[in-house]
Amino acid sequence: MGRFVARRLLQMIPVFIGTTLLIFLMVYSLPGDPVKALFGSKAADPATVERLRHEFGLDKPLLEQYWNYLTGLFQGDFGKSFTGRPVADLMADAFPVTIRLALLAFGIELVLGISLGMLTGLKRGKLVDQLVLVLTLIVVSIPVFVIGFLTQFALGMKWKLITPTVQDSMDVGQLMVPAAVLAALSLAYVTRLTRTTVVENLRADFMRTAVAKGLPRRRVIGVHLMRNSLIPVVTFLGTDLGMLMGGAIVTEGIFNVQGVGNTLYRAIQTSEGPTVVGIVTVLVLVYLVSSLVVDLLYAVLDPRIRYA
Amino acid sequence: MRGAKSAVWVAGAITVAMTATACGGGGSSSDDNAAVDPNGTYTYYNTEPQNTLIPSNTNETGGGYIVKNLFRGLVDFDEKGKLRNMAAESVESPDNKVFTVKLKQGWTFHNGEPMTAASFVDAWNWGANAKNAQLNSSWFADIKGYDAVHPEKGDPSADKLEGLKIVNDNEFTIELSHPVSTFKERLFYDAFFPLPKSFYKDPKGFGEHPVGNGPYMQDGDWQHKVEFKTKKFDAYKGEDKPKNGGVIFKFYNKDDAAYNDLVSDKLDVMFQVPTSVMNQYKNDLGDRAVDQMYGGNTNIAFPLYQEEWAKPEKAKVRQGLSLAIDRETIAKTALKGSKDAADGWTPKVVEGYQPNSCGEFCKFDPAKAKELIKAGGGVPGNKITITYNVDGGHKEWVDAVCNDIRQNTGVECVGDPKPTFQQVRADITEKKMTSAFRMAWVQDFPNISNFIAEQYRTGAGANDMAFSDKGLDDLMKQADEAKTVEDSNKIYHQVEAKLAEQMPSIPLFFDHTKAGYSKKVKNVKFDTFRQAIWTEVEVKK
């Protein structure tokens, strides 16, 4: 187990370097000159442009810029944005908000998704099952931004149950609605995935054995059925956490939540290399760590899966 | 032009659709008699500033609105666009070359430091210095000695502008390297704001916690991406004392989100409603909707650096194309009245506007259009494209203009959309345009010279067409040397009339402010800069 974890952690290094380099290259190949763009419609003043370019290190060859960025990164320096603010500060503002939002959404889809999935799986073909199937189908087929705008319009403008946008991004209560919107799509997937595996496992040999042994129903469902059914669901949830963090762009925009999505969107618009690379790097790490956790969870859920 | 963000806004004003109400001020609310809380604060739509809040480095609207509230310069423009003295007691010049500035007495910065001549002179020297790489440094270019402080290459050989001399605490002189008749007008701009001594100790820290001399002071820390709070500065000596307790600049990434807040009274003032609600915002807001003209316009420009378009006879072709466009109809239909048909290069609300300066060439006359295009040897390749940025909502009018050109002249015309404003700007400044493109301008200051000299003088900062005409350059020089602004305006009238002969760009529309405010505030008025008169806003109890 320890060796497995060590090997996985080592594998992260090339992945990490590869992704940052790729993002770096992509950001710098965006059309337009970010420094000249600072001048708006006015012609850029060459002396000022030259100095700013030097200040941001943009006058060096791309690979040297990348090398400088990488070495800075290992010293904990994420570089600075065009506003002169350290990118680390920008991220320190944005990540706590998005982590809250993502965890809320994650919690919603975990609890609701698995319970709805179990419910519909056990009551296959019944009215509840049909109803949830139709509902999830609707959610899956509507884009997130439509759900977002509809929710905002209905709850915020029409019935005035909530304020149309989030006034304080750190307030968990206000983040509930955007989190629900963010969770909607994955919630539907989790429900369907859980339902399918539950239905499959209900016919499995070990279930028949468990029932035949006369185990109480609670134990049959709670330990034997759930534990086996959750493996694919956990895989999905693991990668989904990374998705939620990155996918918050749309939801954060609609509800004016000042998180990572909004920061990233702005940084891409202004071709702010260090900011984009910094945020995406952290997102990549979130992905890597959550997939490692998923792999480790397999062993917990199914003792037959062993890591050497 | 106030920077990328604002241009997108200008842009934003475009697509549109609205109820058929006549244009004009967005009048008063029905319950105007509601009691007012003189210490009440209100929220103002804004975007997170792109740069640190140092006046000489703030050139986009997000930061500009905040800086304009924290600082007051020597002069500024009132609601109607008339110049008035602010921190200056007087700004006099016998020849538009040497200016004597006398300051009003008793003004202080928010930290109690008195405002003196040095507050201005030191700030300008710092802002002009190439070493400090300030985005607004070119505003000091007319002052004598600028080249030494801000050479095109290499390190500056001086750190003080030769033309600035302190006479005493309340008086200093400005000597320009050449006469500029509108120099006093220019002094209103952010770049010319004064700075307290504490600034030089820590310019970076100052950018986070600016200390100004204006009617409002910062209240608490700048909450990045969330809000920037200001409160009334009690010791403010200016005539425009705030009638409210402070402005809270609330930052939004999406104007749709902001608009929803506005309609639900969670946001108090929005200076430009989103394109997507143009046809409903008057219904949503009733008499709290504002629709009035401001100092901005939209033109189609030509790349005169391209061999084909550089030929002298192509002026006739450009005139012909202009004649083929039915501006009135497009303004009413495709733009749903969100803009007015232009009759020249200077918007109506700008000082020095003269009716019909474009003459017959901005009228709609398909027959004459064909004739002129033929006389000029036709459009190169019998096809033009009009480049515009998709992120600004220009498609509707570009398509309409192209339709007119196609139907009335037989010239093939299509829109050429580019993803972002930034990308289009890069292509334009690198002179990569091959056919026509959208050109929009928002005034730096409300005077005809800002619309003409800045865009049509040889080598001027925003001369996107690379237009050059010795005769017009000479005229503009004369205008700068004129004794009074009135005389200067008259010469600019001539320049504008002569532009019609060469048509480097085709005037299309004059732009509108489409704003709104919540039920919590009243007395919300907008000036020709599309800015609310912040100090006048009253908060209801």
Side-chain angles (χ1 to χ4, degrees), chain A residues 81-301:
Chain A
S81 75
F82 292 157
T83 60
R85 286 190 83 207
V87 174
D89 283 9
L90 286 177
M91 294 201 291
D93 282 348
F95 269 102
V97 173
T98 301
I99 289 173
R100 274 180 172 74
L101 187 65
L103 284 181
L104 271 178
F106 189 72
I108 294 173
E109 64 175 82
L110 186 80
V111 174
L112 264 181
I114 293 182
S115 20
L116 278 178
M118 290 295 291
L119 184 74
T120 48
L122 292 172
K123 307 228 179 234
R124 191 157 64 100
K126 300 262 172 59
L127 184 66
V128 173
D129 185 30
Q130 308 278 358
L131 203 71
V132 172
L133 267 180
V134 172
L135 280 178
T136 50
L137 189 69
I138 293 174
V139 172
V140 169
S141 53
I142 302 177
V144 179
F145 69 88
V146 176
I147 299 179
F149 277 122
L150 281 178
T151 319
Q152 186 182 45
F153 181 75
L155 297 182
M157 320 263 305
K158 206 86 193 162
W159 301 322
K160 305 211 186 292
L161 294 174
I162 56 164
T163 58
T165 66
V166 171
Q167 308 291 314
D168 177 2
S169 300
M170 296 297 270
D171 183 343
V172 173
Q174 293 190 29
L175 286 178
M176 281 311 279
V177 175
V181 170
L182 183 59
L185 183 62
S186 303
L187 173 65
Y189 281 130
V190 171
T191 307
R192 296 207 139 188
L193 200 58
T194 314
R195 178 187 176 274
T196 314
T197 52
V198 164
V199 168
E200 245 169 50
N201 282 335
L202 274 176
R203 291 193 300 254
D205 292 345
F206 64 84
M207 282 299 288
R208 208 173 46 222
T209 315
V211 175
K213 277 201 299 194
L215 289 175
R217 188 173 157 79
R218 239 186 47 221
R219 196 172 160 78
V220 174
I221 292 175
V223 178
H224 294 259
L225 178 63
M226 247 181 102
R227 198 160 159 174
N228 283 291
S229 305
L230 282 186
I231 292 177
V233 178
V234 164
T235 318
F236 178 81
L237 284 173
T239 47
D240 199 48
L241 188 59
M243 284 270 290
L244 288 176
M245 303 259 322
I249 275 198
V250 177
T251 319
E252 287 184 2
I254 294 170
F255 292 97
N256 201 42
V257 178
Q258 303 300 343
V260 170
N262 262 340
T263 311
L264 193 59
Y265 176 75
R266 246 183 99 90
I268 291 173
Q269 273 192 324
T270 51
S271 305
E272 260 189 34
T275 313
V276 179
V277 181
I279 289 177
V280 178
T281 303
V282 175
L283 289 179
V284 167
L285 284 178
V286 172
Y287 259 109
L288 290 175
V289 170
S290 54
S291 69
L292 175 63
V293 172
V294 167
D295 286 352
L296 295 178
L297 269 182
Y298 283 164
V300 177
L301 287 172

Side-chain angles (χ1 to χ4, degrees), chain B residues 17 223 333 356 397 421:
Chain B
Q223 279 187 275
T333 56
N356 254 329
W397 69 259
F421 175 71

Side-chain angles (χ1 to χ4, degrees), chain B residues 237-375:
Chain B
K237 289 286 185 303
E239 56 185 276
D240 54 340
K241 286 199 171 51
K243 292 181 177 168
N244 49 63
V247 190
I248 296 167
F249 294 92
K250 227 170 147 180
F251 304 138
Y252 289 88
N253 273 307
K254 294 255 163 56
D255 49 1
D256 296 299
Y259 182 76
N260 288 341
D261 273 5
L262 179 73
V263 175
S264 341
D265 295 320
K266 293 287 170 206
L267 173 71
D268 294 323
V269 184
M270 193 171 182
F271 62 87
Q272 188 75 50
V273 299
T275 320
S276 54
V277 301
M278 283 295 171
N279 53 359
Q280 74 185 60
Y281 87 104
K282 286 190 177 172
N283 285 332
D284 289 348
L285 297 170
D287 50 10
R288 290 177 288 115
V290 177
D291 181 2
Q292 64 187 53
M293 263 203 236
Y294 76 95
N297 64 5
T298 306
N299 298 345
I300 298 178
F302 292 87
L304 302 182
Y305 43 83
Q306 296 291 356
E307 201 189 328
E308 273 298 321
W309 283 110
K311 292 179 183 161
E313 70 267 22
K314 292 299 172 205
K316 287 209 176 82
V317 176
R318 293 189 290 268
Q319 288 167 342
L321 290 171
S322 173
L323 283 163
I325 302 166
D326 185 359
R327 295 167 177 72
E328 300 281 348
T329 308
I330 295 175
K332 274 191 208 114
T333 56
L335 290 167
K336 306 267 164 39
S338 69
K339 285 169 190 269
D340 280 8
D343 59 358
W345 286 268
T346 312
K348 264 181 200 151
V349 292
V350 169
E351 186 185 341
Y353 161 78
Q354 56 164 348
N356 254 329
S357 59
C358 171
E360 50 171 341
F361 300 118
C362 287
K363 303 250 157 60
F364 177 52
D365 188 344
K368 192 138 190 244
K370 272 188 213 142
E371 203 178 293
L372 275 170
I373 291 175
K374 206 169 163 209

Side-chain angles (χ1 to χ4, degrees), chain A residues 31-34 36-43 45-48 50-52 55 80 82-85 90 93-94 149 152 156-157 160 163-165 167 249-250 253-256 258-259 262-263 265-266 269-271, chain B residues 1 3-4 7 47-52 59 130-131 133-135 137 139 150-156 204 208 224-226 250-254 257 260-261 263-264 266 421-423 425-426 430 441 444 454 461-462:
Chain A
D33 181 333
K36 282 188 180 159
L38 289 174
F39 289 85
S41 286
K42 276 235 155 92
D45 164 50
T48 308
E50 197 182 319
R51 257 168 220 280
L52 289 177
E55 198 184 320
K80 61 182 183 173
F82 292 157
T83 60
R85 286 190 83 207
L90 286 177
D93 282 348
F149 277 122
Q152 186 182 45
M157 320 263 305
K160 305 211 186 292
T163 58
T165 66
Q167 308 291 314
I249 275 198
V250 177
I254 294 170
F255 292 97
N256 201 42
Q258 303 300 343
N262 262 340
T263 311
Y265 176 75
R266 246 183 99 90
Q269 273 192 324
T270 51
S271 305
Chain B
M1 179 77 210
T47 47
E48 164 90 0
Q50 283 174 17
N51 310 311
T52 45
N59 70 341
K131 276 189 177 162
Q134 296 295 289
L135 297 175
S137 52
W139 280 83
H150 196 108
E152 280 221 358
K153 267 200 153 64
D155 283 334
K204 282 230 158 69
E208 288 281 314
H224 285 279
K225 292 181 290 163
V226 180
K250 227 170 147 180
F251 304 138
Y252 289 88
N253 273 307
K254 294 255 163 56
N260 288 341
D261 273 5
V263 175
S264 341
K266 293 287 170 206
F421 175 71
Q422 197 190 332
Q423 190 182 344
R425 282 311 306 171
E430 284 160 28
W441 184 256
D444 289 322
E454 201 72 46

Side-chain angles (χ1 to χ4, degrees), chain B residues 425-500:
Chain B
R425 282 311 306 171
D427 287 352
I428 290 174
T429 54
E430 284 160 28
K431 306 228 178 310
K432 282 188 188 156
M433 307 309 293
T434 52
S435 193
F437 54 94
R438 176 191 88 97
M439 183 167 80
W441 184 256
V442 182
Q443 66 187 19
D444 289 322
F445 53 93
N447 181 279
I448 180 170
S449 67
N450 187 243
F451 283 84
I452 305 298
E454 201 72 46
Q455 292 186 296
Y456 302 97
R457 197 197 288 257
T458 305
N463 188 339
D464 293 340
M465 302 132 291
F467 173 71
S468 173
D469 182 290
K470 175 95 188 6
L472 293 190
D473 284 351
D474 288 345
L475 269 179
M476 285 186 251
K477 191 152 174 271
Q478 262 182 46
D480 282 348
E481 287 164 7
K483 285 269 179 294
T484 63
V485 173
E486 288 72 32
D487 292 346
S488 158
N489 288 348
K490 277 189 197 123
I491 304 176
Y492 272 113
H493 287 169
Q494 294 177 35
V495 179
E496 203 181 7
K498 289 212 164 129
L499 274 181

